[in-house]
Amino acid sequence: MEQQYERGLKALQFVSGEAEPSVVTSLADIAPELGRHIVEFGYGEIYSNPVLEPRDRQLVTLGALAALGNAAPQLRFHINGALNAGCTREEVVEALTQIAVYAGFPAAINAMTAAREVFAARDAED
Amino acid sequence: MEQQYERGLKALQFVSGEAEPSVVTSLADIAPELGRHIVEFGYGEIYSNPVLEPRDRQLVTLGALAALGNAAPQLRFHINGALNAGCTREEVVEALTQIAVYAGFPAAINAMTAAREVFAARDAED
Amino acid sequence: MEQQYERGLKALQFVSGEAEPSVVTSLADIAPELGRHIVEFGYGEIYSNPVLEPRDRQLVTLGALAALGNAAPQLRFHINGALNAGCTREEVVEALTQIAVYAGFPAAINAMTAAREVFAARDAED
Amino acid sequence: MEQQYERGLKALQFVSGEAEPSVVTSLADIAPELGRHIVEFGYGEIYSNPVLEPRDRQLVTLGALAALGNAAPQLRFHINGALNAGCTREEVVEALTQIAVYAGFPAAINAMTAAREVFAARDAED
Amino acid sequence: MEQQYERGLKALQFVSGEAEPSVVTSLADIAPELGRHIVEFGYGEIYSNPVLEPRDRQLVTLGALAALGNAAPQLRFHINGALNAGCTREEVVEALTQIAVYAGFPAAINAMTAAREVFAARDAED
Amino acid sequence: MEQQYERGLKALQFVSGEAEPSVVTSLADIAPELGRHIVEFGYGEIYSNPVLEPRDRQLVTLGALAALGNAAPQLRFHINGALNAGCTREEVVEALTQIAVYAGFPAAINAMTAAREVFAARDAED
């Protein structure tokens, strides 16, 4: 189990670009077990499976979160993750534009709001 | 506009592997305009934009449709499209497994039902 | 309360075109209270409010059910109801086509499947 | 009908812990009829049915609202209601953690944000 | 194509009541192509089709967006559009109240929050 | 990890009433890893946590799946699980009726269809 956690933490650090992933620290006060499941299962089991490349996984996740349209913090997290995994900003914008076809224009427009915030935060960091 | 339709039809033929895409012919009796919009806008405008590769687009679409979980015919269509665009069956299964993290296990399990049907249909054709 | 039920039953009979609305009879074995709530609240309170015309209400409902995309039996019921309330088939098809803009093409395509079934059932009755 | 309203108001007062439930007062300016329906139908008919205990009902509602993931104000309201009906904070956190299995981790994480706000507000009141 | 854009812009100006529609200008920095698709396809193709009146289209759209419950900016936009297309405030409130029947009370309550903001903004402009 | 699987399998056997849970065997041909995750994470980690009783968990799950309205096989599975965990049929019907308040009548009606099938299957087994 420790191995699973270590492997997941490494994957989560890669996606988030954070040494101490904020999704875990932000859950520590209220639901530390949920934070542990995200690391162990989400990243240690699923994300660490080498059948799909990180960039491929981020495209799947952008599709899922932009289409659901009810998880803005996670969409921002994974737009950032897509850039960390090698997507260009143009590719992210195009992937989110494509959501209009499968989940409608409001979903695509609101996903662009998320993208704009992520791009601005990255520009501010430089 | 004709150019847009021709371009879209070519993209749709590639994704579907059909010379006369059934999504268009099946709408001809009731909503031919909707069929035209799918070709012109969905494939002639969005899909034909070269910023994203077809395989990338299919990963985004699998994410969207599997997460929404309410469009089995279209999910089957795009699982087939993902295979036509270069994904292996293992990659498709892994992409749909990943949906469990973002939209829950029922969405992933039901997406596997769609994948099983597509794989069986392709096996039957061989 | 009896007045509320009577008023609701009349509205439901109008929308469904059925003397004994099947939504009530089909729930009688398992959840008769749910059937009663549909008549009393859904039709006796909401639908009977004269601020909106029946045809207007059916357009709102087609938008809601086609966008949600997870309630095919109810969508068929209300496509039939829209025709009973004065919409033409062309208007129904156009309303469902418009759903592509707000909820994506899969939702619109699947709504057309529902419409085709309703139109065929009405043709068969003639 | 008056009896239905009185019965519903009592149930709503119990769930909300408010003498004048804010969901009713906040709708008074724009949609007083909607406020009336919530009391009469939602609480006077459904909630007042003794087949399920209030604590049981709150567990069903937490499941529904956390899974839908698009109704944060109502989720906060019903997290508070679950505590009023006898759930412990640990049970609420566990119920929301379980949502990860059925609707994905983003839904569970965002539900924890709602829970954190409710817990803090209750702490501030003490 | 230019004709399609001009026709769409005119329809969008009518719905929004804006000479330079903000949905287009707000996307100009990040996803100008998405803005173009909204005008050309959403308004130039779908909205401009005369089979449905603008007021009818707004009722369908209110139903779709209020039921989905995850697109507050677009719901506000189309509540405003419904008023521009001839709906009264009472009709808008009634249409959103009806959503309780098809998508639950939380969706209806949150739609009223959107309506309140639109009504207040219009009052402030007078 | 083996311990996690064993613990999960026991929980899944309890919920399903099956010695060899069909959700695992049915995934064996196409996505055995997904079957393993359901046992290890879903049941071995989440379900086995003693903070909530099985009956409580089933109420949360019925709320989630009935509200989402796009996972009929899983809803049937968990209606059966709720009965196995001590809910009466009347309580299940009441929990699903309550869904009308939070996700609309179509979700509640379609959940009753699932309940009717589960009840009939159990009657047939007796």
Side-chain angles (χ1 to χ4, degrees), chain F residues 6 9 12 15 19 27 34 44 50 53 57 61-63 68 73-74 84-85 88 97 99-100 117 121:
Chain F
E6 287 310 310
L9 187 60
L12 178 49
V15 175
L27 286 168
L34 180 59
E53 298 285 337
R57 290 196 182 276
T61 302
L62 290 189
L68 290 172
Q74 290 76 33
N84 290 343
T88 65
T97 299
I99 290 302
E117 291 171 22

Side-chain angles (χ1 to χ4, degrees), chain B residues 12-46:
Chain B
L12 178 49
Q13 286 166 333
F14 169 77
V15 174
S16 66
E18 303 168 316
E20 294 194 36
S22 59
V23 67
V24 175
T25 53
S26 76
L27 286 168
D29 64 329
I30 193 167
E33 291 287 282
L34 181 59
R36 181 173 64 81
H37 296 319
I38 290 168
V39 175
E40 286 181 1
F41 170 65
Y43 289 90
E45 287 289 325
I46 300 291

Side-chain angles (χ1 to χ4, degrees), chain A residues 106, chain C residues 51-52 56-68 95 98-99 101-103, chain D residues 30, chain E residues 15 43 47 52-104 106-116 118-119 122:
Chain C
V51 170
L52 278 181
D56 286 348
R57 290 195 182 276
Q58 292 305 123
L59 291 171
V60 173
T61 301
L62 290 189
L65 295 178
L68 290 172
Q98 185 180 325
I99 290 302
V101 178
Y102 300 106
Chain D
I30 193 166
Chain E
V15 174
Y43 289 90
Y47 216 97
L52 278 180
E53 298 285 336
R55 183 179 172 282
D56 286 347
R57 290 195 181 276
Q58 292 306 123
L59 291 171
V60 173
T61 302
L62 290 190
L65 295 179
L68 289 172
N70 60 6
Q74 288 76 33
L75 180 56
R76 288 194 295 268
F77 180 89
H78 283 287
I79 288 171
N80 194 50
L83 298 171
N84 290 343
C87 284
T88 66
R89 290 189 184 190
E90 287 68 31
E91 288 172 337
V92 166
V93 165
E94 187 63 27
L96 300 178
T97 298
Q98 185 180 326
I99 290 301
V101 178
Y102 301 106
I109 296 170
N110 294 330
M112 291 304 169
T113 300
R116 188 185 290 109
V118 173
F119 295 173
R122 288 173 75 104

Side-chain angles (χ1 to χ4, degrees), chain D residues 43-108:
Chain D
Y43 289 91
E45 288 288 327
I46 301 290
Y47 216 95
S48 300
N49 183 320
V51 171
L52 278 180
E53 298 285 335
R55 184 178 171 284
D56 286 347
R57 291 195 182 276
Q58 292 306 122
L59 291 171
V60 174
T61 303
L62 290 190
L65 295 179
L68 290 172
N70 60 6
Q74 289 77 33
L75 180 56
R76 286 193 298 268
F77 179 89
H78 284 288
I79 288 170
N80 194 51
L83 298 171
N84 290 343
C87 284
T88 65
R89 290 189 184 191
E90 288 67 31
E91 288 173 336
V92 166
V93 165
E94 187 62 27
L96 301 178
T97 298
Q98 185 179 328
I99 290 302
V101 178
Y102 301 106
F105 283 93

